[in-house]
Amino acid sequence: MLQSSAVGFGHLAMAAMLQKPGDVYATDSLNAPPQHVTPRAKRVIFLFMKGGPSGIDTFDYKPKLQADDGKELPYDKPRVQFAATGALLGSPWKFQQHGESGIHVSELFPHVAQRIDDICVLNSVHGTNAAHGGAALKLHTGSDTFVRPSMGAWVNYGLGTENENMPGFLTICPTLAHGGVKNWGSAFLPAECQGVPLGVASKPSLDANVKFIENAKWSTEQQRQQISFLNSLNRQHLEQSGPASALEARIHSFELAFKMQTEMPIAQDLSQETEATKSLYGLDDSFTEDFGRQCLLARRFAERGVRFIQVTHSDTNVQWDQHSNLKEGHNKNAREVDKPIAGLLTDLKQRGLLDETLVLWGGEFGRTPVAQGKNGRDHNPEGFTMWMAGGGVKTGIRYGATDEYGYYAEENKMHIHDLHATLLALLGMEHERLTYRFAGRDFRLTDVAGKVHEGLIA
Amino acid sequence: MLTSKFFHSLYLCLALMLCPHSGFAEEADSEGIRFYESKIRPLLLDHCADCHGAETQESDLRLDTPGHINLGGKSGPVVIPLKPEQSLLISALSHEDEALSMPPDEKLPATEIKLLTQWVSMGAPMPDAEVIATRQRIPFNLEEARKHWSFPPLQQLKPNDFDKSYQNPIDHFIFSKLSEQGLTPAQPASKNVLIRRAYLDLIGLPPTPEQVDRFLADESPAAFQNVVDELLASPHYGERWGRHWLDVARYADSNGLDENIAHGNAWRYRDYVIAAFNSDKPFNEFIQEQIAGDLLNGDAQPTHEQLIATGFLSLGPKVLAEGDETKMQMDIIDEQIDTTGRAFLGLTLGCARCHDHKFDPIRADDYYALAGIFKSTKTMESLKRIAKWNEHVIASPEQLEEKVLHNQEIASVQAKIDELKKQQTEKKTVSVDATGENESSEPIPQAKELSVAEQLKELDKQLKELKGSTPELPTAMGVVEGEAKDVPIHVRGSHLSLGRDVRRGVPLVLSQGDPALQNPQQSGRLELANWLTSNENPLTARVWMNRVWRWHFGKGIVSTTNNFGLLGTEPTHPELLDWLAIEFMKNGWSTKQLHRRMMLSKTYQMSSAYDKQNAEIDPENRFLWRGNQQRMEAEVFRDSVLAASGQLDRSMGGSMLHVKNREFIFNHTSKDETNYATTRRSVYLPVIRNNLYVGFSLFDYTDASVPNGDRSTSTVAPQALYALNSDLVLTAAEKLAERLIEQHADDLGLRVQSLYKISYGRLPTHSEIEAVQDYLLNFNSSPTETEESTTQNLKAWTALCQAFLISNEFIYVQ
């Protein structure tokens, strides 16, 4: 379907929604985004904290948890738990109020705390799956049961790219575990909607690159010549076989590939950044350098019109998954990301990009207020914290709340489907109308659920 | 007692039954009834009757009178007296299950939930309810529903219906439709085009120049038939067409989804499929083996082949770390129902998990009738995290014998150890007993004691070695019978909200008689397999005819190959579909016969030439006025590139997975354990869900998680990057260049001719030769002016060959 637009990396847009899949080729003029509602943001940067960072130790201040440290939980634990847990465990970190909003942030995130007035803290997110794989799939695709397109793919399907020479969905250093490719895949959506990975989580971001973007054998000139010879072969073949848009599309795809080969290295060239900028992202500190580079790349991709950029914080461990040694683990993790994230927010803001870029922070679930073992916390999908910044969200607020200990989402409960619905709304799309017909059914990112939380939209 | 268990009559549209209403009130004294009247009735009226009352009956449920409460709703009874934990009414109130939370807006106050729970615990006392008939829900007009085009019996045409001027009836159907539409069929394709088409279609490899020449030289009328026969006899045929089936069977060598662990033995199923196609196993038998191979031999042992075939049911992606084991089991069953439905019947049965199908006449009852069959089947050995699927031991008698001997050896060493230990203990005991308080007065001889210890040490070592070298018996993924049991309706698909039981069976709309199975002792898989392949069931053959047509012609007679339901497309040539199906069954479900029939038609042999007039009437070529130009599938491209460069390793079968069974392909470290460095045919590359070989995923390979009978063809820039910059293509180009230079060291003209024959199966024109010569002359090697001319020559030829291997004429089959 839509072969001619398929040549680029996206811009299906209305075309796809007006035409049923299987229809013949749409034209390029149909790539205007489907403005169901007023769009607040043009793109998304998703800072994915793999493993499940603890809300109650970061952005969900629970004084009663501190007070009742060591006491039994006075209500029932969830029906399905991942691991056995014991009594309440107070947070080992101090919380302090920040900014004009006076929102409490723990000492784990001193730099992000400085930006708290730009942030909308979501304290009542909840999911259904207590295992990493299921929860990561739920967060990325809306389903922990079936293979479904990822949210980045949906966004690209709906909005398309702003820059034909770049992919519309880039995922930097993604993890291959727990859903792997499915978390940035397009499933039944057109192939050009899928995320293009740069590197993997197990390797430093310095080596992150798009596959097959370089050719070691041919010089640029040789390749240029080769492509023009190839074009002449293809043109002649096309002449023989008569008009065929598929053949034309393929001819065009080589031109695009060649342009992309030129564009990507420029987009990734950090030498063009000032020392001050690099330092803002923590590139001058070995602790923050790796994640800082990912964040800086994200900004550069955002500037170039990439619709959905995912930045994954995950090393060779499950990273934020502190079933034990919560303190050491979270200290290390937060230190690696705190400065780069704050740097990204600052940088986007001073370049005037924050208003049109929705930054989303969080993991596949949070962690329990009750202890696992002596000093760890188990997975908690029942109520956890993410946050948004920029892109038309109310800033300097806490939206929703968990119970007094931070176990269950209670006020303005925001299911993952709601998060998706709200994210799409911020991008100008109604989640109930962004559909794709497959196997006899219209599919949505939000399945048959999802509610837009108007309360956090500015 | 009014429970869900007793209501079974699936066949009757209106099964009138008397509800023994006394059950509810049996224990109810006047106090209980007063409790109902004063507390419960008002509560239900206040909070529930708006949606479940006289005016509106959501889910067919009324809660405003005792009689209606007794009757229950669409999902069966809502109140099980004395058992609040089993009563839907109570579980819905708790809001624990997202799928069924009542009242939907706001949970009732805890005090009211408590009252209702208390009431059910009391036995749900109510005044004698009026008798109300209950009925089986059939949310559609059965007779009407059965008229949908794909459901009625196959339509047999009379011989007089055929235009005798066509030797092959296929042409009758296609060409008469063309003339009806005012379309002119294209001319026959040239022999060069035809042989390349046939090779790539049947075996997935391009013909060699010699094979092309032989066909061109054969001027007999049977020339093409001979080629088809040769290709059908080639073992590469099974590799190509078996792969088509593997798409439908969502075959993969890893689980994918959440915990991506290795299907270490899935390859046996893959090899089984390849062999089945090569031996032209009757397709009905092929289906039966995959659904119920373990049950086909009655009381006799099933063959290994039959056991391996049941892997079909086990291969689906599963959430193996699901903490809720009941949910995991129902999800696995759902995957099996969905796959079976789409693969064989072309129906999206999975849609009926949560509710009656929105479009097709498939009820939730039909879904749970099938769910019962799969629930009574054991797919999983364990549901504990990380869950394990079941595997069959498929050892030879020799292997079993070896294992028995080995175990005997272990037992004998163990016995020796036990004996020595016993002696030791006895001695100690004896010595204590004998010496009373003073043990040391009668010391055990040191030397002897040591030797026992030494012996033990030696034996332990032996034991360890033996255990370490225990021969591992070969196993294959597959299912066995479980506990035979019907399954209740799951309200909105949730296992936390159970309704009434449904008898195991097949979908009502497709059944001729009683859809319920008559064999309650076994799971019902055998009956399901027999029903799927019975001549009375027209869908299975229709679906298969259409699949084969799609793979030959690029588009199905029904373009939605996995959906023959109401939302699928209608057939362009329904009579052709039925005629093919009837002939197919007559020919003993032989797929090879079917290929012959299709490929020897004029329709198949038409040229793909463009025609302006035809294109104006039928731009999409729906009626087949010309051959469809088709892009090679991912694996055909890879295999063809390897074959053209002379690198293809044609050895067959076996596993190429580099990790052991059930080990992680990717664990949390994201370390990539996949390895695709091989020149064997693509069908043998491991299919790793969530991380397919990039040469596959880029070129619209199946996702390997859901059945796919109609791969799409996308054209995206990353494919071009792959063509320009991947090792596969660059290496192949260089090998091809080396090969050409070696073959024709001195004759440039012959070399160019050979390049055209290898890559396009035809000779170049004069102007084409000139264009190649120009390119070679202008080949820019400026960065290394000093290179030897031979090196330069190889480089230029490599660049040239690469252009050919990635050109449209190579990758698009005319």
Side-chain angles (χ1 to χ4, degrees):
Chain A
M1 67 157 299
L2 294 164
Q3 253 83 351
S4 69
S5 64
V7 168
F9 281 98
H11 69 78
L12 275 277
M14 280 310 268
M17 274 179 273
L18 296 171
Q19 291 184 254
K20 291 279 176 265
D23 278 5
V24 277
Y25 321 112
T27 61
D28 278 1
S29 61
L30 285 168
N31 67 1
Q35 297 193 352
H36 296 148
V37 288
T38 317
R40 317 293 176 116
K42 288 183 175 173
R43 70 191 69 86
V44 177
I45 296 177
F46 176 26
L47 306 169
F48 178 49
M49 305 293 113
K50 175 78 174 65
S54 173
I56 46 185
D57 296 303
T58 53
F59 301 96
D60 190 12
Y61 179 46
K62 292 292 164 192
K64 194 153 172 25
L65 176 61
Q66 310 299 84
D68 291 351
D69 180 30
K71 290 191 187 158
E72 287 305 316
L73 185 74
Y75 47 80
D76 286 347
K77 290 174 184 174
R79 185 178 62 85
V80 177
Q81 291 181 76
F82 187 80
T85 51
L88 292 163
L89 175 70
S91 175
W93 292 281
K94 289 197 188 70
F95 279 76
Q96 214 184 324
Q97 287 182 292
H98 290 274
E100 281 180 25
S101 59
I103 292 174
H104 281 91
V105 179
S106 87
E107 55 192 336
L108 275 173
F109 281 96
H111 291 90
V112 174
Q114 301 306 307
R115 303 245 57 98
I116 197 71
D117 289 344
D118 289 325
I119 287 177
C120 172
V121 181
L122 312 174
N123 280 140
S124 57
V125 186
H126 66 113
T128 36
N129 202 304
H132 291 289
L137 284 162
K138 187 93 184 174
L139 176 62
H140 286 87
T141 72
S143 173
D144 51 0
T145 319
F146 305 107
V147 176
R148 297 278 185 264
S150 58
M151 56 175 152
W154 278 110
V155 168
N156 266 276
Y157 169 66
L159 300 183
T161 182
E162 292 182 296
N163 179 354
E164 260 214 333
N165 301 333
M166 295 278 291
F169 177 6
L170 281 166
T171 176
I172 307 167
C173 297
T175 169
L176 293 173
H178 299 129
V181 177
K182 294 279 177 291
N183 288 323
W184 64 90
S186 56
F188 44 73
L189 289 181
E192 62 272 16
C193 297
Q194 69 192 301
V196 173
L198 270 90
V200 290
S202 57
K203 293 196 183 127
S205 61
L206 193 58
D207 304 328
N209 220 335
V210 171
K211 275 182 182 153
F212 311 116
I213 196 79
E214 284 171 349
N215 190 311
K217 196 169 183 90
W218 311 123
S219 68
T220 307
E221 185 46 34
Q222 283 171 333
Q223 201 165 41
R224 180 72 262 176
Q225 269 191 334
Q226 189 192 37
I227 292 173
S228 71
F229 177 70
L230 172 67
N231 274 345
S232 69
L233 287 179
N234 286 343
R235 289 273 161 215
Q236 208 185 344
H237 174 250
L238 180 65
E239 229 166 81
Q240 308 259 307
S241 53
S245 40
L247 297 181
E248 279 181 60
R250 193 159 181 273
I251 294 172
H252 188 45
S253 76
F254 281 97
E255 293 296 333
L256 270 180
F258 195 70
K259 278 189 213 153
M260 199 177 137
Q261 256 174 246
T262 327
E263 194 95 354
M264 274 307 288
I266 298 170
Q268 287 174 255
D269 183 7
L270 301 190
S271 71
Q272 297 177 1
E273 300 288 336
T274 65
E275 288 312 308
T277 303
K278 287 188 201 166
S279 164
L280 183 65
Y281 285 83
L283 259 67
D284 50 3
D285 177 346
S286 63
F287 238 97
T288 47
E289 182 215 347
D290 192 71
F291 194 74
R293 186 177 301 103
Q294 294 186 50
C295 287
L296 183 49
L297 282 171
R299 192 218 78 213
R300 291 179 65 86
F301 294 147
E303 281 173 323
R304 284 164 174 76
V306 179
R307 281 289 179 201
F308 198 101
I309 303 147
Q310 177 157 342
V311 177
T312 297
H313 182 233
S314 174
D315 58 8
T316 50
N317 291 312
V318 191
Q319 197 76 50
W320 289 88
D321 194 27
Q322 268 75 59
H323 289 280
S324 59
N325 296 323
L326 173 71
K327 197 163 176 199
E328 288 82 345
H330 267 45
N331 269 337
K332 171 179 170 290
N333 295 333
R335 194 176 152 197
E336 285 172 1
V337 302
D338 176 42
K339 194 174 179 199
I341 292 174
L344 174 67
L345 294 178
T346 306
D347 199 18
L348 286 173
K349 194 168 188 180
Q350 67 199 13
R351 284 166 198 264
L353 284 167
L354 190 58
D355 287 343
E356 58 183 48
T357 305
L358 178 66
V359 181
L360 175 66
W361 177 93
E364 64 269 41
F365 38 55
R367 311 208 75 83
T368 53
V370 287
Q372 181 178 358
K374 261 191 304 200
N375 53 11
R377 296 194 191 278
D378 188 27
H379 307 163
N380 180 18
E382 307 294 335
F384 61 100
T385 292
M386 297 182 84
W387 55 252
M388 288 177 170
V393 295
K394 281 186 189 157
T395 50
I397 64 159
R398 289 175 70 175
Y399 182 84
T402 49
D403 61 43
E404 55 193 359
Y405 296 118
Y407 212 140
Y408 294 92
E410 226 172 49
E411 189 190 305
N412 282 331
K413 287 177 73 168
M414 193 173 196
H415 189 271
I416 301 248
H417 291 312
D418 300 346
L419 178 79
H420 289 153
T422 309
L423 180 136
L424 292 178
L426 287 163
L427 291 163
M429 292 179 281
E430 278 178 34
H431 70 103
E432 283 166 334
R433 288 172 66 193
L434 184 68
T435 62
Y436 190 87
R437 173 69 53 91
F438 171 72
R441 211 191 113 185
D442 284 334
F443 282 88
R444 299 183 351 215
L445 171 58
T446 51
D447 193 17
V448 295
K451 184 177 92 190
V452 176
H453 286 250
E454 302 283 353
L456 60 83
I457 298 178
Chain B
M1 288 291 292
L2 184 96
T3 69
S4 60
K5 301 276 186 274
F6 77 112
F7 184 71
H8 283 318
S9 185
L10 283 161
Y11 183 52
L12 296 173
C13 293
L14 284 170
L16 293 167
M17 305 194 80
L18 296 183
C19 284
H21 57 278
S22 60
F24 267 35
E26 222 160 38
E27 306 296 320
D29 51 18
S30 56
E31 203 180 327
I33 292 174
R34 214 174 311 126
F35 184 78
Y36 167 78
E37 293 291 359
S38 61
K39 306 268 198 254
I40 303 304
R41 195 199 282 264
L43 200 159
L44 291 173
L45 285 174
D46 275 0
H47 296 291
C48 315
D50 274 357
C51 305
H52 302 290
E55 302 277 307
T56 317
Q57 297 95 37
E58 294 279 341
S59 298
D60 297 350
L61 176 67
R62 278 178 72 170
L63 294 171
D64 54 339
T65 77
H68 286 100
I69 295 171
N70 265 355
L71 176 59
K74 192 156 121 186
S75 326
V78 293
V79 171
I80 311 283
L82 306 171
K83 292 184 175 157
E85 70 284 354
Q86 289 175 22
S87 300
L88 278 182
L89 179 72
I90 305 302
S91 57
L93 295 176
S94 71
H95 278 224
E96 259 177 27
D97 179 11
E98 262 176 63
L100 186 65
S101 297
M102 291 293 157
D105 298 335
E106 208 176 339
K107 203 169 156 178
L108 288 183
T111 46
E112 303 197 342
I113 297 180
K114 213 170 160 188
L115 281 175
L116 283 161
T117 314
Q118 193 187 340
W119 171 66
V120 177
S121 305
M122 288 162 70
M126 284 187 284
D128 269 10
E130 62 270 42
V131 176
I132 292 176
T134 177
R135 64 183 170 88
Q136 167 74 38
R137 254 178 62 80
I138 300 179
F140 46 80
N141 178 326
L142 194 59
E143 287 318 303
E144 280 302 309
R146 283 185 171 146
K147 286 182 187 157
H148 174 64
W149 74 266
S150 65
F151 299 154
L154 297 169
Q155 294 297 308
Q156 179 95 49
L157 285 187
K158 294 181 198 78
N160 289 344
D161 295 340
F162 290 101
D163 181 343
K164 295 288 183 309
S165 58
Y166 298 108
Q167 283 189 342
N168 190 320
I170 290 175
D171 297 329
H172 157 81
F173 292 106
I174 297 294
F175 290 176
S176 56
K177 194 76 139 212
L178 285 178
S179 81
E180 242 176 71
Q181 303 285 328
L183 295 160
T184 333
Q187 292 300 305
S190 72
K191 283 182 99 175
N192 295 83
V193 167
L194 192 57
I195 189 172
R196 192 166 191 264
R197 185 187 291 174
Y199 265 74
L200 290 167
D201 187 358
L202 274 188
I203 65 166
L205 297 170
T208 62
E210 297 72 34
Q211 287 163 335
V212 174
D213 289 344
R214 192 153 25 101
F215 177 58
L216 294 180
D218 184 352
E219 286 174 4
S220 72
F224 187 62
Q225 185 170 349
N226 293 339
V227 168
V228 171
D229 284 341
E230 258 173 56
L231 292 174
L232 286 175
S234 155
H236 295 317
Y237 158 77
E239 293 173 329
R240 169 75 167 138
W241 282 75
R243 183 55 248 179
H244 283 317
W245 181 255
L246 294 174
D247 275 18
V248 177
R250 43 66 177 122
Y251 172 84
D253 295 282
S254 82
N255 176 60
L257 271 184
D258 66 332
E259 304 292 334
N260 205 356
I261 57 178
H263 287 168
N265 291 306
W267 64 274
R268 294 184 201 278
Y269 173 79
R270 179 246 285 146
D271 285 358
Y272 156 81
V273 169
I274 293 173
F277 275 89
N278 275 334
S279 68
D280 198 20
K281 177 175 291 212
F283 194 70
N284 51 353
E285 205 179 310
F286 183 57
I287 294 177
Q288 287 158 6
E289 287 180 347
Q290 293 178 78
I291 298 290
D294 55 323
L295 307 174
L296 289 175
N297 283 2
D299 291 336
Q301 282 289 318
T303 65
H304 290 169
E305 205 183 345
Q306 288 169 330
L307 292 174
I308 291 168
T310 65
F312 173 82
L313 291 175
S314 308
L315 282 166
K318 306 173 184 75
V319 179
L320 294 172
E322 174 62 63
D324 188 333
E325 292 176 12
T326 318
K327 178 175 187 296
M328 188 198 303
Q329 200 183 7
M330 289 315 291
D331 285 348
I332 290 169
I333 289 167
D334 182 67
E335 200 279 334
Q336 291 170 327
I337 293 176
D338 195 51
T339 298
T340 305
R342 290 204 225 180
F344 303 114
L345 300 170
L347 290 177
T348 53
L349 300 176
C351 291
R353 183 181 187 178
C354 309
H355 45 68
D356 295 328
H357 200 295
K358 294 271 192 221
F359 309 107
D360 291 336
I362 302 292
R363 307 161 306 155
D365 287 66
D366 296 321
Y367 179 94
Y368 289 97
L370 286 164
I373 295 176
F374 292 114
K375 181 103 192 248
S376 306
T377 298
K378 194 175 151 200
T379 306
M380 302 302 285
E381 181 188 315
S382 147
L383 296 172
K384 293 262 171 293
R385 196 163 59 219
I386 295 169
K388 291 169 95 173
W389 56 82
N390 181 66
E391 299 214 347
H392 296 290
V393 173
I394 45 158
S396 65
E398 294 76 30
Q399 285 168 318
L400 286 172
E401 174 72 16
E402 192 194 347
K403 175 114 182 178
V404 168
L405 289 175
H406 192 89
N407 284 345
Q408 282 171 357
E409 216 174 320
I410 289 177
S412 88
V413 175
Q414 186 66 56
K416 279 184 204 159
I417 292 173
D418 292 347
E419 179 59 26
L420 276 173
K421 280 191 177 158
K422 198 171 141 206
Q423 283 175 19
Q424 246 181 349
T425 340
E426 272 168 8
K427 254 177 219 145
K428 273 187 191 151
T429 325
V430 168
S431 68
V432 174
D433 284 353
T435 54
E437 291 162 311
N438 191 356
E439 202 181 332
S440 62
S441 67
E442 200 178 342
I444 295 149
Q446 281 290 316
K448 201 173 177 192
E449 184 70 347
L450 260 182
S451 94
V452 172
E454 272 170 8
Q455 276 180 48
L456 270 175
K457 202 177 155 194
E458 178 57 30
L459 285 169
D460 275 337
K461 202 178 138 203
Q462 267 184 39
L463 187 70
K464 213 174 151 194
E465 275 170 14
L466 276 171
K467 282 188 173 165
S469 65
T470 303
E472 217 171 284
L473 294 178
T475 56
M477 297 173 84
V479 304
V480 288
E481 288 286 86
E483 188 197 344
K485 212 173 160 188
D486 291 339
V487 165
I489 296 246
H490 288 42
V491 182
R492 304 199 195 181
S494 167
H495 61 286
L496 301 176
S497 316
L498 300 180
R500 65 189 145 73
D501 273 5
V502 180
R503 276 177 76 192
R504 279 165 283 152
V506 300
L508 174 64
V509 74
L510 300 177
S511 64
Q512 303 296 319
D514 187 347
L517 301 180
Q518 310 302 319
N519 178 9
Q521 270 76 47
Q522 279 190 307
S523 66
R525 269 186 299 124
L526 183 60
E527 291 79 1
L528 176 63
N530 287 335
W531 173 78
L532 281 170
T533 53
S534 80
N535 285 4
E536 281 162 35
N537 178 353
L539 265 177
T540 307
R542 277 196 184 114
V543 167
W544 181 238
M545 294 308 94
N546 188 58
R547 290 193 189 289
V548 175
W549 187 275
R550 156 65 184 88
W551 290 321
H552 276 307
F553 292 91
K555 191 182 275 179
I557 297 170
V558 178
S559 64
T560 50
T561 54
N562 285 341
N563 195 349
F564 277 43
L566 272 81
L567 283 192
T569 52
E570 293 205 3
T572 48
H573 300 81
E575 301 89 0
L576 169 59
L577 197 60
D578 281 13
W579 178 81
L580 286 169
I582 289 168
E583 288 295 305
F584 179 67
M585 289 177 174
K586 268 196 222 154
N587 280 320
W589 299 67
S590 159
T591 300
K592 283 193 178 179
Q593 276 304 336
L594 186 64
H595 292 305
R596 281 193 192 94
R597 182 79 73 174
M598 289 183 183
M599 294 179 73
L600 296 178
S601 69
K602 288 199 168 85
T603 304
Y604 181 84
Q605 296 174 30
M606 270 191 288
S607 141
S608 61
Y610 179 80
D611 179 273
K612 197 158 175 281
Q613 237 176 337
N614 284 341
E616 268 165 21
I617 302 170
D618 178 19
E620 284 178 82
N621 194 26
R622 282 181 68 218
F623 296 103
L624 277 177
W625 49 267
R626 62 164 166 168
N628 278 319
Q629 228 176 76
Q630 300 179 59
R631 194 191 70 195
M632 289 176 174
E633 292 103 321
E635 54 272 65
V636 178
F637 175 63
R638 178 179 169 278
D639 292 353
S640 297
V641 162
L642 288 173
S645 62
Q647 297 179 92
L648 186 68
D649 173 354
R650 293 176 188 241
S651 48
M652 293 180 70
S655 173
M656 296 190 53
L657 208 55
H658 294 263
V659 281
K660 283 193 190 145
N661 192 20
R662 302 185 202 277
E663 272 184 6
F664 275 102
I665 307 264
F666 296 101
N667 57 11
H668 56 268
T669 68
S670 286
K671 194 177 159 222
D672 192 343
E673 296 285 358
T674 50
N675 184 343
Y676 299 109
T678 173
T679 54
R680 291 193 50 192
R681 284 204 74 171
S682 301
V683 69
Y684 301 116
L685 289 191
V687 181
I688 303 302
R689 290 193 185 124
N690 297 4
N691 193 44
L692 289 169
Y693 169 57
V694 64
F696 287 173
S697 54
L698 274 176
F699 290 91
D700 305 291
Y701 192 76
T702 172
D703 160 87
S705 300
V706 287
N708 186 344
D710 186 29
R711 289 195 200 172
S712 56
T713 304
S714 71
T715 304
V716 292
Q719 292 166 354
L721 286 175
Y722 182 81
L724 291 169
N725 302 333
S726 69
D727 275 350
L728 174 86
V729 177
L730 286 166
T731 309
E734 188 167 302
K735 298 274 179 202
L736 176 57
E738 280 170 3
R739 192 178 148 198
L740 290 169
I741 292 170
E742 195 188 296
Q743 270 177 0
H744 308 285
D746 308 316
D747 194 324
L748 190 70
L750 281 179
R751 206 187 287 167
V752 178
Q753 277 190 9
S754 189
L755 173 60
Y756 266 86
K757 273 167 123 178
I758 289 172
S759 36
Y760 299 161
R762 67 172 176 93
L763 287 171
T765 62
H766 281 297
S767 64
E768 283 173 334
I769 297 178
E770 275 167 26
V772 167
Q773 281 170 336
D774 278 354
Y775 175 67
L776 290 169
L777 275 176
N778 294 327
F779 182 77
N780 185 329
S781 52
S782 52
T784 48
E785 288 291 354
T786 53
E787 273 177 339
E788 296 281 326
S789 66
T790 48
T791 318
Q792 275 204 28
N793 192 35
L794 177 62
K795 268 191 133 177
W797 270 88
T798 301
L800 178 75
C801 289
Q802 186 182 8
F804 272 79
L805 292 177
I806 64 179
S807 67
N808 280 350
E809 189 169 349
F810 184 83
I811 202 168
Y812 273 88
V813 187
Q814 285 185 300

